[in-house]
Amino acid sequence: MVSWILKKILGSKNQRELRRLTPMVRRINEVDEQFKSLSDDELRAKTAAWKEEFSKIPELEDQWKKLDEILPEAFAVVKNAARRLKERQHSFTVCDQPMVWDMVHFDVQLLGGVVLHRGRIAEMATGEGKTLVATLPLYLNALTGRGAHLVTVNDYLARRDAEWMGQLYSFLGLTVGCIEHDQEPDVRREQYAMDITYGTNSEFGFDYLRDNGMATTREQQVQRGYHYAIVDEVDSILIDEARTPLIISGPATISTHQYDKWKPLIEQLVRKQNMLCNRVASEAIEKFEQGEVETGGRLMFKVKLGQPRNKQLLRMMEDPDKRRAIDKAELSFFQDTRKEELFALKEELFFTIDEKSNESDLSEQGRAFLNPDDPNSFVLPDLINEFTEIDLDQTLSPEEKDKRKAERQQHCDAQAERIHNISQLLRAYCLFEKDVQYVIEDNKVVIVDEFTGRKMPGRRWSDGLHQAVEAKEGVQIDRETQTLATITIQNYFRLYQKLAGMTGTAETEAAEFHDIYKLDVNVIPTNRPVRRTDHNDHIYKTRREKYNAVIKEIKEAHARTQPVLVGSVSVEASELISRMLKREKIPHNVLNAKFHMQEAEIVARAGQPGTVTISTNMAGRGTDIKLGSGVTERGGLMVIGTERHEARRIDRQLRGRCARQGDPGASRFYVSFEDDLMRNFGAADRMTRIMERFGLEEGQELEHRWLNKSVETAQKRVEQRNYMIRKRTLDFDDVMNMQREVVYTYRNEVIDSEEPRKLIYEVINEAVPAKVKEYLDVDEPNYTGLIHWVNTTFPLGLTKEKAQFDTRAVDENVQFLIEKIKDAYERKSSHEEPTAVKSLERYIILNAIDRLWQEHLYAMDALREGVYLRGYAQKDPLIEYKTEAYDMFVELMANIKNEVLNNLFRSTSNLQAFENFLATLPQFLMREHAPTAPTATADARMRQPVGAMAGVAAGDGDGAGEVSIDLPVRRSIAKVGRNEPCPCDSGKKYKNCCGRVA
């Protein structure tokens, strides 16, 4: 009560913030009046003068202080330029469409601009001119010369806004660029070099990954820093799309999938499950008719486990008594005391489906159907036990042991691949529907964004799921992919030193914006009062009744020529409504993932008299719906939602499409108990009881503001769940992000280095001591092992006598080896082309980083998938992940250094240079006493120096100042198998004769 009174007296936090900014708006308008007397050139000169001034301020903090000082003047310059363009009726083309400039900033838009400059989110209602608002802070922050980015949701909006607002920037002397899909790197670099750059979030993110994870020279990198960004439709980009990380993938080196092999069996299995569920549902109906309600509820719960979208099940869920019986059975089976009964019930099915977690699981019956001859076909072998048994088997030779282990490993891999393929095919058949989660286009599976309804060409589901869906639909199965570079949307945008956002709906997610991005939300008032009427939801028992009511409402509105915008959640729902409208002979436009090319055009026409537009979710965001003549008198645009979305924001966005800039309008949502939100998140139970109490008949609806709150409660539950998923994703990715920053920083250091040899020597100075200590700094020093490592990694030709490791301390041996290696490397470099040496040295380090980083990403993916099982041992998977990820990262950095050492003498700028280097080395051939014999004892072998430096090598034997390389032994006869007759004509097998001393 006290807080309510204080809020009435002092205003809310948002109102107080806006009151503090009001004097700034007055100041901008005062300066704007003064600038009216300036000529165009004098107005432009202000831009040039400020840019010159900022170029002399090196520190970012000082630049930000200066920006705050000049804000009123800079905003006034932009507003003044907009007025001049409007007064002159400035005409231009945007996306090949002629336009005339007719906008000048309102006071509320100036307020929004100040909020954006201060690194916050400005919530502004649809139609309030967010596109124009962004010009103010973008102009101001571009003056620093560090670049300012505006991020949009699709390529069309990026291009449209860059060409549209570019008229204003160009008038003031700033350059503007646009990043689009399929642009060449040179073009991208030019666009990023502009003062202001427009583009989509995925293009910015993928450019970051290409620059830092794939580019090998500074010339290949296109971005120039992360200074200031405004994210348009910030809720869509930073929340809706944040659950899916950006991944650059390449084709896997090998593809072993068996989707096409298992597809016919899975199809049969799904058909058998459908028949089984239909039979069980028929039994349940009989039981209900006989009055055995509990048995009927148990049987229908079984159907729900095996086929949650079974038509008979959905019809029964419309009946309050039967719904209650099914819910009661479900609750009782999930009690701890009945876990075994639940397991037994699941085993009566071929597989079970969990819609909430998007998972499917085979039962024993299903496994037997797929592979009746092998009961262990779905059991992964215990390799540790099997390897131990093989090692303890004294009858096996070392070669046979290795062969058996390889066979068992191969068997385990094939088993795991089969289980994985079948699991993904089941998911594809049972959980992924055509025209809902994906569409088929040009013989390819194209994913549909669940939030915007837009197609996402080029995006693929990971972990083989995409191949499974391709197999299901009978289109070409593309090769599996492996991750080359990845980053989440959250971590990409946290790179920016100053981030801001604007949208029509951010308030409901204010806590998440603050927790993850440290962004506060300010709600900007509308320029004119909102005249929209938001009607209560109409709630029906079934989808059929709901859609009939929707069609009836559309017919009534169409009869009075009032325009209607119908929002649907999926492509399937939009096409169903379209078919129903065709039957009623009502002309309409359909805007879904299949027709997004005409998106903006269809949405722009949606306000014309008598127009009916069906739109998936929020397709067409960013395009204003302007009312045609005479529409205002008919009540403005009518918005109809055919289903409540999981997120309240999306519903608010749909409502906000009408009643822009004080126009009249109305909105209503239609809901049924068969909607996914109602089925999965519990709001239906309470409503069923209400409907029972009122005794509603077929086609009657419920309507009350309390019921709206009940639906919103379900939405809040889903929002909370999705927030936890995103937060968890971010917690795990934060670990990867720290590793990514270290690797990418090191990579950029290599690319930017003028003297990459210093970095090579740093690797030598760090890696060699670690290796020497590994062999020598132990209880029993392994001198032979160290010599073997040195000679296989570097061409030093050390022997025990030459090295004399046992006569020196560990640190002295380290220094001895480092000097030898550097001397050898200097000799090798002297034979290379001088112009190519630096590029070669960069390549050696970058190649090691890239190859091992990709392997590390693969290993981290596997760790992340498996670490959740640690929860069963009462361990926090996140802590376990952090611990193991750190150990893996330490190992990665050590492996990168060792890889650099391995490639140091195995890489060359050209073959001739390498041959010249080899010619200077004392080369030692392994020569046999008896050339015709296939083998000889180790003692019988002797080294004989050959080549240019033979005399030196055969000399003093201390190894001082010499470099050598072991060339491979060339056999004079073919290799002899162990069980073949011995070539010495003894009549024995080779392994029992000369082979014994091999």
Side-chain angles (χ1 to χ4, degrees):
M1 187 67 183
V2 174
S3 61
W4 182 82
I5 293 168
L6 287 173
K7 193 177 282 189
K8 281 290 179 187
I9 298 169
L10 303 174
S12 65
K13 180 175 181 284
N14 185 67
Q15 289 167 334
R16 294 196 299 274
E17 294 258 4
L18 296 181
R19 273 204 299 269
R20 278 198 289 270
L21 298 178
T22 307
M24 180 85 72
V25 174
R26 280 200 300 269
R27 175 66 186 144
I28 294 166
N29 286 324
E30 288 168 8
V31 178
D32 174 40
E33 286 297 321
Q34 296 168 18
F35 285 171
K36 284 181 180 177
S37 59
L38 298 179
S39 67
D40 289 356
D41 289 337
E42 286 172 329
L43 198 65
R44 279 191 207 98
K46 295 220 165 261
T47 303
W50 280 326
K51 287 184 80 171
E52 177 69 25
E53 196 174 342
F54 277 107
S55 66
K56 296 173 182 175
I57 304 175
E59 294 300 322
L60 185 61
E61 292 291 332
D62 296 334
Q63 285 189 340
W64 281 349
K65 287 176 186 171
K66 183 65 180 174
L67 286 176
D68 291 339
E69 287 175 23
I70 67 166
L71 185 147
E73 284 186 72
F75 278 26
V77 164
V78 179
K79 181 174 180 178
N80 201 279
R83 183 185 292 104
R84 294 181 189 212
L85 291 177
K86 183 179 180 181
E87 288 169 352
R88 293 166 193 178
Q89 294 286 294
H90 176 65
S91 59
F92 52 99
T93 58
V94 172
C95 297
D96 305 321
Q97 297 295 318
M99 288 188 75
V100 175
W101 189 276
D102 63 347
M103 299 180 295
V104 183
H105 303 77
F106 300 128
D107 285 358
V108 289
Q109 290 176 316
L110 298 176
L111 202 58
V114 176
V115 167
L116 291 174
H117 169 68
R118 295 191 171 183
R120 297 179 189 170
I121 291 172
E123 180 181 304
M124 302 181 73
T126 302
E128 290 296 304
K130 291 186 285 291
T131 308
L132 186 65
V133 170
T135 58
L136 299 161
L138 284 174
Y139 170 80
L140 178 60
N141 285 273
L143 296 172
T144 61
R146 296 174 183 265
H149 297 164
L150 189 130
V151 186
T152 65
V153 289
N154 64 36
D155 275 340
Y156 167 75
L157 288 181
R159 184 185 161 198
R160 185 202 72 180
D161 292 355
E163 292 180 8
W164 192 8
M165 299 300 118
Q167 305 299 316
L168 192 55
Y169 303 130
S170 302
F171 182 83
L172 291 169
L174 290 183
T175 55
V176 61
C178 179
I179 305 296
E180 292 182 77
H181 192 56
D182 290 336
Q183 279 180 335
E184 291 297 317
D186 291 343
V187 178
R188 285 176 180 269
R189 195 177 304 106
E190 285 173 17
Q191 305 305 310
Y192 279 114
M194 302 290 187
D195 295 313
I196 295 163
T197 307
Y198 285 74
T200 64
N201 56 306
S202 53
E203 291 301 323
F204 281 116
F206 285 137
D207 282 339
Y208 166 78
L209 291 175
R210 281 189 284 263
D211 279 3
N212 291 277
M214 301 173 80
T216 55
T217 63
R218 173 54 68 193
E219 290 69 35
Q220 290 175 1
Q221 294 181 322
V222 296
Q223 292 187 334
R224 62 177 181 128
Y226 312 96
H227 169 236
Y228 178 69
I230 297 175
V231 182
D232 192 10
E233 307 297 1
V234 67
D235 57 319
S236 177
I237 291 173
L238 297 193
I239 291 181
D240 296 340
E241 297 191 24
R243 280 186 289 178
T244 308
L246 296 174
I247 296 172
I248 290 183
S249 57
T253 47
I254 54 168
S255 183
T256 56
H257 76 77
Q258 301 167 354
Y259 295 111
D260 37 8
K261 174 188 171 184
W262 290 102
K263 176 190 171 181
L265 274 172
I266 295 294
E267 275 185 346
Q268 287 180 42
L269 185 71
V270 171
R271 273 201 301 271
K272 285 181 81 73
Q273 175 98 330
N274 291 348
M275 288 164 62
L276 173 65
C277 288
N278 287 334
R279 193 167 62 248
V280 172
S282 299
E283 285 177 36
I285 291 169
E286 287 177 14
K287 295 295 181 187
F288 279 126
E289 287 172 353
Q290 293 165 9
E292 297 179 36
V293 177
E294 192 173 326
T295 309
R298 179 188 180 281
L299 289 170
M300 288 315 296
F301 172 56
K302 181 177 171 181
V303 174
K304 188 177 180 181
L305 286 173
Q307 201 181 6
R309 296 184 185 181
N310 181 280
K311 289 181 180 176
Q312 293 185 72
L313 170 68
L314 294 176
R315 275 200 296 273
M316 284 196 201
M317 296 294 271
E318 297 168 16
D319 186 307
D321 292 330
K322 290 172 184 172
R323 173 190 282 278
R324 197 182 309 110
I326 297 166
D327 291 346
K328 187 178 177 183
E330 183 172 0
L331 283 171
S332 66
F333 272 110
F334 279 109
Q335 292 171 3
D336 285 346
T337 53
R338 300 191 67 183
K339 276 186 177 176
E340 290 183 10
E341 286 181 68
L342 178 62
F343 178 74
L345 188 70
K346 287 180 177 179
E347 286 301 313
E348 292 173 17
L349 297 161
F350 290 98
F351 55 86
T352 55
I353 297 170
D354 185 347
E355 273 192 304
K356 285 185 186 179
S357 59
N358 235 20
E359 291 296 336
S360 59
D361 186 30
L362 275 174
S363 66
E364 199 58 50
Q365 191 181 176
R367 295 185 194 107
F369 173 80
L370 290 173
N371 214 328
D373 303 326
D374 184 4
N376 293 321
S377 60
F378 290 90
V379 179
L380 286 177
D382 187 341
L383 286 181
I384 295 174
N385 281 345
E386 291 191 8
F387 282 7
T388 305
E389 286 173 15
I390 292 169
D391 286 333
L392 294 174
D393 190 344
Q394 300 298 327
T395 62
L396 299 175
S397 68
E399 292 84 1
E400 287 171 328
K401 286 180 179 178
D402 289 344
K403 186 179 177 184
R404 291 256 182 113
K405 286 181 180 178
E407 286 172 357
R408 296 313 298 160
Q409 180 70 58
Q410 198 172 351
H411 171 69
C412 180
D413 291 346
Q415 200 95 316
E417 183 76 25
R418 180 168 62 248
I419 294 169
H420 177 69
N421 286 177
I422 289 170
S423 171
Q424 296 294 47
L425 273 170
L426 263 182
R427 289 180 68 200
Y429 272 93
C430 301
L431 293 163
F432 287 79
E433 288 186 47
K434 182 180 172 183
D435 289 340
V436 179
Q437 283 97 343
Y438 63 91
V439 293
I440 303 298
E441 194 175 78
D442 299 330
N443 205 34
K444 288 186 179 295
V445 171
V446 180
I447 300 173
V448 173
D449 187 320
E450 64 174 307
F451 290 100
T452 63
R454 292 190 179 97
K455 287 179 290 189
M456 298 192 289
R459 296 248 185 132
R460 294 176 66 80
W461 286 303
S462 60
D463 210 23
L465 177 61
H466 209 94
Q467 283 90 339
V469 175
E470 287 170 333
K472 169 192 167 185
E473 294 296 339
V475 301
Q476 179 188 334
I477 302 175
D478 287 340
R479 201 165 169 184
E480 289 168 72
T481 56
Q482 69 179 51
T483 301
L484 304 181
T486 177
I487 191 172
T488 57
I489 292 287
Q490 289 113 318
N491 277 319
Y492 173 72
F493 282 109
R494 293 200 299 189
L495 292 169
Y496 281 91
Q497 287 149 328
K498 189 160 64 168
L499 182 66
M502 51 189 187
T503 178
T505 48
E507 204 175 9
T508 54
E509 311 290 348
E512 181 169 349
F513 283 125
H514 180 77
D515 292 347
I516 292 178
Y517 303 99
K518 301 293 180 280
L519 287 171
D520 292 321
V521 176
N522 284 133
V523 182
I524 309 298
T526 54
N527 186 46
R528 294 175 185 165
V530 176
R531 292 169 58 195
R532 185 181 68 238
T533 306
D534 293 331
H535 297 293
N536 292 325
D537 294 358
H538 277 184
I539 300 167
Y540 296 84
K541 276 204 240 177
T542 67
R543 279 186 177 169
R544 186 182 67 255
E545 295 172 59
K546 176 184 77 173
Y547 285 130
N548 286 336
V550 168
I551 299 301
K552 184 183 174 188
E553 174 110 24
I554 294 171
K555 277 180 74 175
E556 290 172 0
H558 185 67
R560 58 178 182 265
T561 65
Q562 181 181 10
V564 180
L565 175 66
V566 184
S568 65
V569 171
S570 66
V571 177
E572 185 185 40
S574 68
E575 293 191 339
L576 172 64
I577 297 164
S578 176
R579 286 196 298 273
M580 293 175 79
L581 286 174
K582 280 176 186 170
R583 279 205 299 269
E584 298 292 336
K585 295 184 171 51
I586 297 174
H588 59 278
N589 292 314
V590 180
L591 177 60
N592 58 32
K594 293 185 173 181
F595 307 110
H596 75 297
M597 294 294 287
Q598 307 100 306
E599 189 174 294
E601 187 186 341
I602 292 173
V603 170
R605 289 203 308 265
Q608 299 306 308
T611 305
V612 177
T613 308
I614 305 169
S615 163
T616 36
N617 209 308
M618 273 324 299
R621 284 182 77 170
T623 306
D624 275 349
I625 300 176
K626 296 180 180 177
L627 300 184
S629 60
V631 171
T632 305
E633 292 75 32
R634 298 182 185 95
L637 178 66
M638 176 71 186
V639 169
I640 296 175
T642 59
E643 195 172 327
R644 281 282 197 167
H645 198 272
E646 287 183 352
R648 288 170 295 162
R649 279 180 304 103
I650 311 292
D651 293 342
R652 288 181 62 205
Q653 285 161 7
L654 184 59
R655 287 192 197 277
R657 299 315 300 263
C658 65
R660 60 178 291 282
Q661 288 291 330
D663 289 340
S667 69
R668 187 191 302 278
F669 278 88
Y670 287 77
V671 182
S672 85
F673 289 144
E674 292 179 4
D675 295 346
D676 291 343
L677 176 73
M678 309 296 276
R679 285 192 306 111
N680 289 334
F681 295 95
D685 302 337
R686 195 178 307 122
M687 305 240 185
T688 306
R689 289 195 290 273
I690 295 168
M691 294 192 101
E692 256 188 309
R693 198 173 300 139
F694 287 103
L696 292 178
E697 297 174 6
E698 172 92 12
Q700 281 189 286
E701 80 274 356
L702 283 174
E703 177 190 351
H704 198 278
R705 65 174 183 274
W706 289 356
L707 296 179
N708 298 354
K709 290 194 184 303
S710 185
V711 176
E712 285 186 8
T713 302
Q715 290 177 307
K716 284 178 185 174
R717 283 198 202 111
V718 187
E719 285 172 7
Q720 190 61 33
R721 188 196 67 152
N722 289 343
Y723 171 53
M724 293 312 295
I725 292 171
R726 290 190 292 268
K727 189 77 170 68
R728 198 70 170 165
T729 301
L730 187 65
D731 288 340
F732 277 92
D733 194 63
D734 276 344
V735 179
M736 273 299 299
N737 198 48
M738 287 186 278
Q739 297 184 4
R740 187 189 300 111
E741 283 179 7
V742 172
V743 170
Y744 284 179
T745 302
Y746 182 37
R747 209 177 176 284
N748 283 325
E749 188 184 345
V750 174
I751 290 172
D752 294 336
S753 174
E754 293 295 323
E755 293 295 333
R757 187 165 303 185
K758 288 181 181 177
L759 298 174
I760 294 272
Y761 283 174
E762 277 179 23
V763 171
I764 294 172
N765 292 337
E766 289 171 13
V768 172
K771 274 291 180 184
V772 171
K773 286 172 184 174
E774 183 185 319
Y775 285 107
L776 304 186
D777 203 2
V778 289
D779 295 336
E780 293 184 14
N782 183 2
Y783 298 115
T784 308
L786 178 59
I787 289 170
H788 176 72
W789 174 76
V790 169
N791 286 334
T792 53
T793 310
F794 312 105
L796 297 186
L798 289 181
T799 61
K800 197 169 184 180
E801 295 74 28
K802 289 179 184 178
Q804 297 181 349
F805 287 137
D806 51 347
T807 64
R808 288 187 290 269
V810 174
D811 290 344
E812 291 172 347
N813 281 326
V814 167
Q815 202 56 42
F816 166 75
L817 280 178
I818 287 175
E819 287 173 7
K820 286 271 187 192
I821 294 164
K822 287 182 179 178
D823 179 54
Y825 185 69
E826 291 292 343
R827 190 172 304 182
K828 173 184 177 291
S829 299
S830 66
H831 292 277
E832 299 283 357
E833 292 182 19
T835 55
V837 171
K838 288 183 180 179
S839 297
L840 177 64
E841 288 169 343
R842 284 194 193 94
Y843 170 79
I844 290 169
I845 303 176
L846 291 175
N847 186 53
I849 293 171
D850 293 347
R851 192 178 70 78
L852 293 168
W853 176 244
Q854 287 166 23
E855 289 178 9
H856 180 70
L857 289 175
Y858 186 77
M860 290 289 280
D861 279 346
L863 171 64
R864 186 163 172 178
E865 283 174 22
V867 81
Y868 287 103
L869 297 174
R870 311 270 177 100
Y872 291 112
Q874 304 301 309
K875 293 180 178 178
D876 184 344
L878 182 60
I879 293 172
E880 293 291 303
Y881 180 75
K882 286 180 177 178
T883 305
E884 293 216 16
Y886 175 75
D887 294 340
M888 287 168 69
F889 185 67
V890 170
E891 186 181 344
L892 167 73
M893 298 311 287
N895 288 343
I896 287 173
K897 290 167 187 169
N898 290 329
E899 181 81 355
V900 170
L901 295 185
N902 277 323
N903 291 335
L904 208 53
F905 291 91
R906 290 178 170 85
S907 306
T908 183
S909 56
N910 67 69
L911 191 58
Q912 187 60 48
F914 198 61
E915 287 176 353
N916 292 343
F917 168 58
L918 291 180
T920 67
L921 299 182
Q923 298 163 5
F924 294 94
L925 275 175
M926 311 289 278
R927 292 204 175 162
E928 313 285 351
H929 277 308
T932 55
T935 186
T937 62
D939 295 334
R941 294 172 180 164
M942 62 181 292
R943 292 188 168 192
Q944 296 184 5
V946 296
M949 294 180 67
V952 179
D956 49 19
D958 63 356
E962 79 178 37
V963 183
S964 67
I965 186 167
D966 286 345
L967 294 181
V969 179
R970 304 286 181 215
R971 287 190 178 89
S972 56
I973 61 172
K975 183 180 179 181
V976 183
R978 285 173 44 76
N979 292 313
E980 292 177 13
C982 190
C984 70
D985 295 328
S986 63
K988 297 179 182 179
K989 286 187 177 180
Y990 174 61
K991 66 181 180 182
N992 296 325
C993 186
C994 298
R996 282 183 302 175
V997 292

